[in-house]
Every structure is written in structure tokens, then in C-alpha cells.
Amino acid sequence: MAYKAWFSCIRGCAETYPLDEVVYSCKNCGGLLEVTHDDGELKKRSAQEWKTLFDERYRRNAWPYGSGVWGKKEWICPYVEDDNIVSLYEGASNLFWTERFGNELGLENLWVKLCGNSHTGSFKDLGMTVLVSVVKQMIADGKNIDAVACASTGDTSAALAAYCAAAGIPAIVFLPKDKVSTAQLIQPLANGAMVLSLDTDFDGCMELVKEVTADDTIYLANSMNSLRVEGQKTVALEIVQQLDWNVPDVIIIPGGNLGNVSALGKGFLQMESLGLISKRPKIVVAQAQNANPLYRSYKTGFKEFQPMQAKKTLANAIQIGNPVSFEKAVKVLKEFDGVVEEATESELAEAAARGDRTGMFNCPHTGVALAALIKLVDRGEIKSSDQVVVVSTAHGLKFTEFKLGYHEGKLEGIESRYANRPIELPAKADAVKKAIYETLNKKA
Ligand SMILES: *Cc1c(COP(=O)(O)O)cnc(C)c1O
Ligand SMILES: [Zn+2]
């Protein structure tokens, strides 16, 4: 195999490590690692040849290239043998042209990348397929790995449990007790993972899982493990591919631990360095006001960074006060004319519901991104002719408590301006007709 990739330090230390070494941070400075590819080898194919190859594979059936991630295998993780790839046909999710919502906001060209249309209902599948495939390859190569573990705000554990179950590898998930949705809790249970429900928050779970995975036979699956970022960066590749290899003007993405925005930026930089694109989008990270350490840092021009105690937010997957990938995210924001915006609980809930009225089915995190979009449009920072892509991170069906609470008007401090409730009626035709005609303003 000619294509090569390895771990290197994001702060530029000389040390590198093979992808099958159990290593999560630089042994020299403690900084995060990233996967680096042999660009020289990749440049032997022209930009046009890459585009043609990726288009030929997209959504087809030849294992494993029909997957949105593995269709770009050479760019992601060339070393895993096809037989050891653990894929659930992730990626290749719909880029939804949200015409009606765009019209409401005065935007001509608004798109929502529906990353939640995936096996476990969130973008976490994109990264987990790479990580679990590497683990399967390591086990096949005789490495001693007994289990894979992660701390999670809900979606990471669902993805880890599913991919491990498909591969027959034991999974251990560390969840903050009572802070994840029912769907998020039931997924790892159904997939047979060992589920630890801990009396702490995500940041507390993260500390614990780091301690447990200091034992090299228990492999750490959190996004400080940069293998996940490699899979997640395909969101950038796919957005551009789905726009016929054009780069949008603005991309808005919700951020918690900040692995996903780091991945988004990495995907664009790789396309740029291999000549597939020649411009960069503006990248906007949207945070919940109750868990906004990046926003606060942004307000100081990234001069200061204070981890915070994240407060409860409806956007539970981004209730993170000490984001692991902070440094990577700031680098990306500096290179992509970056903006950070925040949304209150009310703003995120109303934005999600308003979007739903035009055919979306938003999770609260996507609500945070849509609320940021609305603010930037109101401030004139996004113009009507701009091509804008909002990254939707999970499927609304994982968050039915949130959505039901909204429509029942039971979410504290939220007006529920777009609430819609069932109309209870006797099972009588005239009563039913009367209600319908009244609603449609029709004469009987
Ligand atoms: C994990 C997650 C996020 C945040 O992604 P980070 O990489 O932690 O910034 C946002 N939305 C959903 C639904 C998630 O599961
Ligand atoms: Zn280093």
C-alpha cells in the first residue's frame, strides 16, 4: 500500500507514532495528536482524478467504498485492510436544500447537512467507523486490546456501542447519570455495551475514562483520539462534493468538545492542499450560552481561555465546560475567518421548532446552529446571496423529550411560539369537519 498516514503533534514536535500505537497525546509536550498523510503520495493523483474516483464510489456497493467515509479511504486511514473495516454505511447523508426556511430568513441558498441521518442518528458514526476499524485491525495483528471505552454526552456512546457490537469487540461507556436522553441511553444498552451511569457531568466522566484507559488494553474512543477526527472530516468533503465540488461561503456548526469543527477545518485544508478547492468558507461555531467556553475565549480574541462549569442545557450533547479540542478549534477558526456565536435556551428551542415547520426535524444542537444563523443574518454578517450550510449533528428522533416538552409548553422559561398540539375530539364526523374547516378558514 503506497498511501501512508501517522500520528503527529499539532504543536509541531518532531515525534511521530504509527496509527496502531496506543497513544492519545504527544509524549514530548502533552499536546493533541493529529493524523498526518503523505501528501506527496496523494498528489500523484490529480485533483480531477480524485473527484472522479470519489464520485464513482459515492453510495455504490463495492465494499467498503459505498460508505461516505471509506469512499475516501486513501485520505482517511489507508492502512486498515478492507476485511477489517467496520462500516455501517455511514456518511453520504442528505444535503437538504432548505428553501422555505431560507426564504423566511431572506436567504437564497441555504442548505442543511443532515449528519443525523445515519445508523445511530448522529455524526459520531463518521468518526467511530474509523476508530473501531483500527481497533479491529490491531486485534487482527495480535495486539492485546480487551475493550474500547468512552465518556459521552450520549451520542458517542451510541456510536461506539453499535460499531463495537457489529465487530464483536467489548465496549464500555461512561455516561453522566440523568443527563442523556432516553434514546441515547437505550442505544448502548440495546447494543450490549457495559453502561456506567455516573453521578457527575461529562467533564467528570472524561477524567474517569482517561484514568481507566491509562491501561493500554482498554482503548480510548474519545475525540482526543484523533482517528475519529479523520472520519469526521469527510463532512467537509461531502458538502463540497454534494455542491458539485464548490465551496459554500459560510458553514455553521454546533460545538461542544470541538472535535467536529476541528475535523471540518481539516477536511477543507486537505482538499485545498490537494488542489480540489481554491477558496475557504467562513466557519461559524455555535455554542449554547450555558456551556460557552469557546465563545467567551473568542470574545477575548482567543487570548484567554477559562474552562467553566457547564450549566444544564437542552442541547445536552454540547454541555461541555472544558473542551478537549480547544486548541485545534482555535487554529481552525483563525484560518477560516472564524466566528463564534451563542444561543440561549429559548433561542435554540424556538429556532429548532421554527425550522421544523419548514420540513426539518431538528435536534436541539441543530437548534443552536440555526439560532446562530438567525443572529448573523439579522446583523447583516450573512448576506442574502451567500451560500450557507448548517451542519445538523443529530436526528431529532433522539430528542423526543425535548420536542414533546416544547410542543406541550412544558420547557421552563421557553415561550413555545411554534407549538402544535393534538386536537382532542369525539369520534364524530361533524365535530371533525367543524374543526378542520375552522382551521383551514373554510366555509362548510
Ligand atoms: C458530539 C455532538 C456535538 C458536538 O460535537 P463536538 O465535536 O463535541 O464539538 C454536537 N451535536 C451533537 C448531536 C453531538 O452528538
Ligand atoms: Zn508535542
Side-chain angles (χ1 to χ4, degrees), residues 214-367:
D215 170 351
D216 277 357
T217 62
I218 301 175
Y219 193 77
L220 177 65
N222 280 95
S223 59
M224 67 179 293
N225 184 325
S226 54
L227 291 170
R228 281 187 37 211
V229 168
E230 284 313 282
Q232 287 171 207
K233 84 184 176 195
T234 57
V235 70
L237 279 50
E238 272 185 21
I239 287 170
V240 171
Q241 185 176 14
Q242 287 171 305
L243 295 171
D244 289 329
W245 301 104
N246 290 304
V247 178
D249 298 302
V250 184
I251 299 186
I252 305 179
I253 186 168
N257 227 356
L258 306 178
N260 211 25
V261 62
S262 308
L264 182 72
K266 195 164 190 277
F268 276 102
L269 292 179
Q270 193 174 16
M271 282 187 282
E272 186 182 86
S273 104
L274 295 173
L276 278 72
I277 59 170
S278 53
K279 84 167 205 192
R280 296 181 187 178
K282 176 199 270 300
I283 291 183
V284 180
V285 176
Q287 293 210 294
Q289 192 177 63
N290 284 351
N292 63 351
L294 182 72
Y295 179 75
R296 291 176 188 211
S297 175
Y298 169 73
K299 285 287 169 192
T300 71
F302 298 123
K303 282 187 197 68
E304 285 167 41
F305 170 62
Q306 290 293 335
M308 63 184 282
Q309 182 72 45
K311 293 202 284 273
K312 192 171 169 51
T313 167
L314 293 162
N316 72 286
I318 55 176
Q319 188 177 328
I320 294 174
N322 189 11
V324 165
S325 295
F326 175 79
E327 212 176 312
K328 282 187 182 175
V330 170
K331 263 184 143 177
V332 164
L333 287 167
K334 286 182 175 165
E335 298 196 65
F336 288 83
D337 190 19
V339 170
V340 186
E341 193 40 85
E342 63 174 2
T344 64
E345 296 301 288
S346 160
E347 286 166 342
L348 75 87
E350 302 292 359
R354 188 176 166 192
D356 286 359
R357 285 290 180 107
T358 66
M360 290 181 250
F361 193 67
N362 292 307
C363 77
H365 321 86
T366 306

Side-chain angles (χ1 to χ4, degrees), residues 396-409:
L397 285 172
K398 294 185 92 166
F399 300 91
T400 46
E401 294 101 329
F402 159 69
K403 299 183 84 68
L404 191 63
Y406 179 89
H407 288 285
E408 287 180 339

Side-chain angles (χ1 to χ4, degrees), residues 134-146:
V134 168
V135 171
K136 192 171 173 198
Q137 180 71 51
M138 285 160 77
I139 293 171
D141 292 341
K143 287 238 154 75
N144 182 15
I145 301 212
D146 295 324

